[in-house]
Amino acid sequence: MHGWVGKLLRIDLTSGKIATEALNPELARDYIGARGLGTRLMFDEVDPKVDPLSPENKLMFVSGPLTGTFAPSAGRYNVVTKGPLTGTIAASSSGGNWGPELKFAGYDLIILEGKAASPVYLWIKDDQVEIRDAAHLWGKQVPETTEQLYAETEADAKVACIGPAGENLSYIAAVMNDMHRAAGRTGVGAVMGSKNLKAIVVRGTGAVTVADKPGFLGAVDHISKALKAGPGTGYSFRMYGTAANINPMNAVGGLPTANFQETHFPTAHKVSGETLTATLLQRTKSCFSCIISCGRVTKVTNPKFKGEGEGPEYETAWVFGPDCAVDDLDAVTKANYTCNEMGLDTISMGSTVACGMELFQRGIIDLKETEGLPLEFGNAEAMVEAVRLTGLGEGFGKKLQLGSYRLASLYGHPELSMTAKKQEMAAYEPRAAQGIGLEYATSNRGGCHVRGFTVGAEVLGRTNKMDKNATVGKAALLVGVQNGTAALDATGACLLSSGAMSAADYAELLTTATGVAYDAASYLKAGERIWNLERMWNLKAGLTAADDTLPPRMLNEPIPKGPSKGAVNRLQEMLPEYYSLRGWGPDGVPTAEKLGELALNV
Amino acid sequence: MARYLTQIKDLRPTLCYARRTVVLGGRAYVKQGRNATMSMMLMIHPDKCTGCHNCELSCSMEHEGDFRTKASRIHVYTWERQGFSVPMMCQQCHDAPCTTVCMPKALTRNLANGQVDLDAAKCIGCKMCVQACPFGNASWDFLTSAILKCDTCNSDPACVRICPSQALTWVEDTVSAQVRKRAFATKLKNAFLEA
């Protein structure tokens, strides 16, 4: 096979059995890879009702057909499993260099089953696969683990591991690769921890081939030019990182503030990408094959928050900034470092701290309950300390590590958790932009902006701008974006590249790389197939249309002040149209006709 | 840039008089002059490198026809803790240890362009060059039984063409250090102007 390596690695951690299998070319064609292929295999092999943290759940690390080639910004892999935070199918995407290394080692994906009796790590050097003891690594933070593993295996190996948060089975734990890159969302790190698997270390010396070399090189050439010419992909993400979005979102009153109580933060500019570039930024960094280079290598010298590492990106700058009402960039960056070191998802972590702050503000919890942690909005030291405690599972961190929905429910106030399907929403206010509200409500992995990023069309984009406050046309917009994103994730590409690339571009890359003929229509059809498969998994897992909703604050409490004053999300105006456009019944279940049209065997 | 080159030319001692670079369709052809001691060289700028590995991918595609970064003639090393990356490739040494130890004379110094040429037909695979290179920039590829060493893609390096960060540049060797010197001098200038 071209593009795909054509082989998968199956490891039963209970018995220690290691096997390789050929990749089914038909599945690869229909589900492309990464998020799509992983979900299909989960559907075929795992009962959707499985307890996510039980040995019966499987954990898959899946690359895409473009991973390992120089298709621009397409070096990603997905961690696919049943997510403990949401109970939905989880596909968490991460960049860095780990995914390509897996393909150079000769595998499209790894399927992990069962549970090791004691902590172990995997060492994969091409066709040599070992399960090694990891007792000495258990409890270590991500940078120490990573460096120790370089020393024990090869300096050029790539490491994906969990930190203390994953070991503690925190619902918001991430899988970290290359020290600073996270497959963050839906708590995939806890699944890895539940299997007693500390790390997967990979080193590969093989090749990824493409079917049509001149065609592929030609496609890469014109797509690279388009990316370099794009205002975001060619300039602002490199200059200011993704946090370039802070100021424009704040300007329209779409930047959730103080746990979504407000939507405009007067001093947001202090944690913006522009400020970051002017102060803490040391240099920019890229994931494998990326020409955008949004990675921020930063250093904080302020003794209170001293550290070095990567970040913050937009979501992180927002969640530890405006969402916690903090405008100290040093503290925000330190909180980001701590998340990376502990192996925590920054969005869920920050939003859980913000939820804790609101519980504290309302007097629902007090200093006694937080064990002395003054969780006031704007208290930067308490915020950073809360992240550290969560990572280690100490003090009030034992409760914060449950995520905001379970935290707020402990005190009888789930409505104060800013989540959809129990996952924390991202940095785009659903009351200020109607489409993103519909996205959070319908996303197959809960509150998440990267399943259908409508904000490009609603606020940030320069062309085809839609009225962000209108509900008309948003369902159609979202369905298109969700399908496109599902296909994009499956190729191994980065969502940021879609700022300057069309479905036809991705289809051209796929066709020339794999030799399988895709066009824009069949590419988007694959995306729709993946979306419906994820939906079917969730329905079988026990979710219903009643879960396609937003926190009551988004639906009932008008924005109190700022540029978007008075707005609420009018989800009910959009949801029936969304179901109908998807070819689903009013109960949110895909119809037999739709499944037939997609050749989706479920 | 043109003005900058003129300045350097003015300062250039007669001994080093040489080279005009003619750019034709993106390719740089170097013409030899009197007392030629200069040529083109690959300049690395680690401060600009983002660690994207596009140079490795491009190099392996150019030479091997597939994406196999281990067979690339250029390698990028990244220190994750500091987020710092350094590209490494053959420096085309003037007094190259690899040419000294190469018994069948497969590695030779090309006086015309200042590079170290590898004649694969003469190579016996003894790997002495791998042992001798102080930088580790010659390596042995087990898969193809060949020595891997940068050949500058016939003076049009694929890595330079693809580098999205200008961390790799293809410059006249007399200019190479001047670029860095000028960059540092600019900092000094700014410090004095601000003071």
Side-chain angles (χ1 to χ4, degrees):
Chain A
M1 293 173 92
H2 295 291
W4 300 284
V5 188
K7 203 164 64 170
L8 65 91
L9 185 61
R10 187 184 292 276
I11 297 172
D12 184 343
L13 292 165
T14 311
S15 67
K17 185 171 171 260
I18 297 164
T20 57
E21 292 168 22
L23 180 67
N24 179 339
E26 281 167 22
L27 283 193
R29 180 198 64 206
D30 291 347
Y31 298 92
I32 304 177
R35 175 178 164 191
L37 185 59
T39 303
R40 181 72 242 186
L41 293 169
M42 279 295 289
F43 201 96
D44 292 343
E45 299 187 12
V46 183
D47 175 8
K49 289 204 157 53
V50 71
D51 170 3
L53 299 180
S54 70
E56 287 73 37
N57 191 12
K58 294 188 186 182
L59 179 66
M60 304 187 184
F61 288 70
V62 197
S63 66
L66 297 181
T67 311
T69 71
F70 66 9
S73 315
R76 300 180 76 85
Y77 74 99
N78 272 230
V79 180
V80 187
T81 185
K82 181 174 179 178
L85 182 68
T86 55
T88 62
I89 188 77
S92 265
S93 174
S94 180
N97 297 303
W98 193 90
E101 200 73 20
L102 179 69
K103 286 188 76 176
F104 295 140
Y107 310 101
D108 289 300
L109 66 142
I110 309 177
I111 301 177
L112 296 148
E113 310 173 352
K115 176 186 179 174
S118 59
V120 295
Y121 75 88
L122 292 182
W123 166 224
I124 301 168
K125 167 94 189 263
D126 295 323
D127 50 3
Q128 309 279 317
V129 183
E130 269 180 71
I131 301 176
R132 288 186 173 182
D133 179 50
H136 60 300
L137 298 168
W138 208 250
K140 278 201 161 72
Q141 295 180 14
V142 171
E144 287 73 34
T145 304
T146 306
E147 282 180 344
Q148 175 69 27
L149 285 169
Y150 288 153
E152 283 178 27
T153 59
E154 281 188 24
D156 294 337
K158 308 291 179 239
V159 177
C161 69
I162 53 170
E167 297 171 10
N168 297 337
L169 308 185
S170 164
Y171 283 85
I172 54 175
V175 174
M176 303 295 300
N177 61 278
D178 303 286
M179 219 179 272
H180 311 286
R181 292 279 133 197
R185 307 232 67 195
T186 60
V188 292
V191 178
M192 192 155 159
S194 77
K195 300 199 172 304
N196 265 331
L197 181 62
K198 178 68 177 174
I200 306 178
V201 192
V202 189
R203 167 81 171 146
T205 60
V208 174
T209 60
V210 291
D212 168 10
K213 278 174 212 165
F216 188 74
L217 298 184
V220 168
D221 192 50
H222 78 77
I223 289 164
S224 299
K225 284 190 182 116
L227 285 168
K228 282 175 189 164
T233 50
Y235 178 74
S236 73
F237 288 143
R238 179 180 278 255
M239 273 306 279
Y240 305 118
T242 52
N245 288 352
I246 290 264
N247 288 329
M249 285 312 293
N250 198 39
V252 297
L255 193 68
T257 300
N259 200 35
F260 290 70
Q261 294 184 71
E262 293 172 23
T263 69
H264 178 80
F265 191 53
T267 50
H269 63 275
K270 290 190 183 174
V271 298
S272 66
E274 290 86 337
T275 306
L276 185 69
T277 297
T279 56
L280 307 180
L281 184 73
Q282 303 295 299
R283 63 192 72 87
T284 65
K285 201 175 164 202
S286 295
C287 295
F288 192 88
S289 85
C290 185
I291 63 174
I292 299 172
S293 198
C294 70
R296 310 279 96 185
V297 177
T298 51
K299 190 171 184 176
V300 182
T301 49
N302 175 353
K304 260 200 305 189
F305 303 115
K306 203 168 166 19
E308 60 179 342
E310 281 186 37
E313 307 285 339
Y314 169 64
E315 304 293 334
T316 312
W318 155 75
V319 82
F320 290 119
D323 202 36
C324 288
V326 169
D327 63 6
D328 180 346
L329 188 58
D330 291 349
V332 169
T333 308
K334 179 68 178 180
N336 189 163
Y337 294 162
T338 311
C339 282
N340 288 354
E341 288 156 11
M342 298 292 177
L344 283 163
D345 172 31
T346 55
I347 299 179
S348 287
M349 180 71 248
S351 189
T352 303
V353 173
C355 174
M357 284 174 168
E358 187 166 353
L359 289 166
F360 195 88
Q361 180 190 41
R362 290 174 185 271
I364 298 164
I365 57 174
D366 54 16
L367 276 176
K368 187 160 164 281
E369 183 61 27
T370 64
E371 304 187 27
L373 192 66
L375 269 184
E376 299 138 341
F377 276 113
N379 188 330
E381 283 92 347
M383 176 183 78
V384 171
E385 178 64 3
V387 177
R388 193 184 71 86
L389 290 172
T390 308
L392 297 174
E394 291 172 2
F396 192 57
K398 282 201 279 288
K399 288 177 178 147
L400 292 171
Q401 71 171 11
L402 298 171
S404 70
Y405 184 83
R406 290 170 178 84
L407 174 78
S409 300
L410 272 184
Y411 304 105
H413 289 279
E415 78 282 1
L416 297 182
S417 154
M418 293 302 124
T419 51
K421 298 189 178 81
K422 304 193 179 100
Q423 174 159 267
E424 289 73 11
M425 299 185 296
Y428 305 92
E429 168 64 52
R431 289 172 289 185
Q434 297 293 325
I436 199 72
L438 183 63
E439 151 63 8
Y440 292 149
T442 57
S443 151
N444 282 330
R445 65 169 190 186
C448 169
H449 61 298
V450 293
R451 283 294 179 265
F453 188 72
T454 59
V455 185
E458 292 188 285
V459 181
L460 296 169
R462 291 186 173 186
T463 52
N464 303 328
K465 199 178 263 192
M466 297 175 82
D467 177 3
K468 67 186 180 63
N469 299 314
T471 54
V472 176
K474 294 299 168 68
L477 167 73
L478 182 64
V479 169
V481 177
Q482 285 178 338
N483 292 348
T485 305
L488 178 155
D489 281 339
T491 65
C494 171
L495 184 56
L496 288 190
S497 65
S498 67
M501 284 172 71
S502 65
D505 291 334
Y506 293 106
E508 186 183 354
L509 285 173
L510 271 182
T511 306
T512 51
T514 64
V516 176
Y518 290 92
D519 56 22
S522 66
Y523 167 83
L524 290 173
K525 191 58 90 181
E528 189 180 5
R529 187 178 299 119
I530 294 165
W531 190 271
N532 279 274
L533 182 68
E534 291 175 335
R535 179 73 178 183
M536 289 308 293
W537 165 282
N538 288 348
L539 294 171
K540 288 190 181 205
L543 278 82
T544 64
D547 294 297
D548 294 338
T549 189
L550 293 170
R553 174 171 293 163
M554 300 300 109
L555 304 173
N556 308 324
E557 287 178 31
I559 293 173
K561 56 184 179 184
S564 287
K565 187 174 175 197
V568 293
N569 189 279
R570 309 194 298 281
L571 182 64
Q572 284 316 319
E573 292 177 20
M574 301 178 280
L575 200 55
E577 187 192 357
Y578 174 86
Y579 286 162
S580 149
L581 285 171
R582 277 239 167 261
W584 299 351
D587 53 354
V589 178
T591 57
E593 295 82 63
K594 180 46 88 176
L595 296 178
E597 178 204 320
L598 296 169
L600 191 57
N601 184 15
V602 287
Chain B
M1 193 64 184
R3 196 184 50 167
Y4 171 44
L5 285 173
T6 320
Q7 283 173 357
I8 290 172
K9 204 172 175 184
D10 294 339
L11 296 169
R12 193 187 289 161
T14 342
L15 184 69
C16 294
Y17 173 77
R19 254 120 327 265
R20 288 184 308 275
T21 306
V22 187
V23 178
L24 289 171
R27 267 175 183 265
Y29 294 92
V30 180
K31 283 191 178 173
Q32 293 297 315
R34 189 159 52 90
N35 294 331
T37 54
M38 291 184 303
S39 61
M40 302 296 283
M41 71 172 275
L42 247 166
M43 185 84 181
I44 59 175
H45 305 271
D47 52 323
K48 291 182 184 167
C49 179
T50 66
C52 70
H53 298 269
N54 270 310
C55 50
E56 295 181 357
L57 290 162
S58 171
C59 179
S60 95
M61 180 47 87
E62 182 87 13
H63 293 95
E64 306 293 325
D66 53 28
F67 296 109
R68 186 161 63 97
T69 55
K70 304 313 168 288
S72 167
R73 278 71 168 158
I74 180 168
H75 284 109
V76 177
Y77 293 92
T78 300
W79 282 261
E80 294 295 351
R81 211 181 260 272
Q82 294 86 15
F84 198 84
S85 300
V86 181
M88 295 279 288
M89 91 294 289
C90 175
Q91 295 300 115
Q92 320 290 349
C93 302
H94 184 73
D95 184 7
C98 59
T99 58
T100 313
V101 299
C102 186
M103 219 170 54
K105 302 282 175 228
L107 284 161
T108 50
R109 182 151 186 79
N110 182 334
L111 292 171
N113 63 12
Q115 291 172 16
V116 174
D117 285 352
L118 169 63
D119 184 346
K122 286 187 188 166
C123 177
I124 58 171
C126 68
K127 311 175 196 71
M128 286 305 288
C129 51
V130 180
Q131 320 292 331
C133 177
F135 309 102
N137 283 333
S139 57
W140 173 254
D141 183 29
F142 182 79
L143 211 71
T144 55
S145 300
I147 290 294
L148 307 178
K149 186 201 89 70
C150 172
D151 61 1
T152 73
C153 302
N154 285 323
S155 298
D156 183 19
C159 53
V160 172
R161 271 181 275 141
I162 202 165
C163 179
S165 313
Q166 293 79 49
L168 299 166
T169 50
W170 181 242
V171 292
E172 261 190 75
D173 57 2
T174 41
V175 179
S176 59
Q178 302 288 345
V179 172
R180 205 159 279 168
K181 213 186 266 186
R182 170 164 283 249
F184 195 82
T186 308
K187 284 186 186 169
L188 211 57
K189 176 206 75 178
N190 291 342
F192 274 99
L193 288 181
E194 273 173 28

